Amino acid sequence: MRRTEPVKIGEMINDFFGSNPKLARRIAENRAVDIFKQTVGKDLADYIMRVTVSYGKMYVQVRSSVIRHEIFLRRTTLMNSINQELGDKIISTIIVK
């Protein structure tokens, strides 16, 4: 179907993600990694080796046992703030390794 009138880019993006919910979820999971690093702060983020998200589970790999324990204790608060920033319940659990 050919459009005859101009369409705003924001409307086109919303239509695209509305028809592809899996893609929208994957993009939100990738945003969650950046939000996590901002949420914990620069000092703790320096000790984090890797953060990945797969099917709603966030895996955090940390070098220091002290930092690992700190993130483990704050994981519920971190998860809630990430989900609030994303506007949806994308992260269901945080696993610290």
Side-chain angles (χ1 to χ4, degrees):
M1 179 163 138
R2 194 159 213 201
R3 296 180 188 208
T4 57
E5 297 178 14
V7 179
K8 293 181 180 179
I9 290 178
E11 292 175 11
M12 289 177 60
I13 291 173
N14 287 337
D15 290 342
F16 179 73
F17 286 132
S19 63
N20 296 313
K22 288 183 182 179
L23 180 62
R25 183 164 179 88
R26 294 294 295 170
I27 290 174
E29 286 178 350
N30 287 328
R31 283 187 56 221
V33 172
D34 294 332
I35 293 170
F36 175 80
K37 290 180 181 179
Q38 292 172 356
T39 304
V40 296
K42 184 176 177 355
D43 294 334
L44 293 180
D46 289 342
Y47 291 96
I48 296 172
M49 295 188 326
R50 184 184 324 187
V51 179
T52 57
V53 179
S54 180
Y55 299 105
K57 293 181 181 178
M58 179 176 277
Y59 299 93
V60 181
Q61 197 170 16
V62 184
R63 282 186 266 172
S64 169
S65 62
V66 175
I67 304 299
R68 183 181 308 119
H69 186 68
E70 176 70 24
I71 292 173
F72 180 79
L73 292 176
R74 293 178 43 193
R75 69 181 189 261
T76 304
T77 307
L78 292 169
M79 182 180 63
N80 291 336
S81 65
I82 292 168
N83 286 333
Q84 182 179 5
E85 182 77 25
L86 291 172
D88 196 9
K89 188 171 188 313
I90 301 296
I91 305 299
S92 61
T93 185
I94 296 177
I95 300 168
V96 185
K97 296 181 179 181

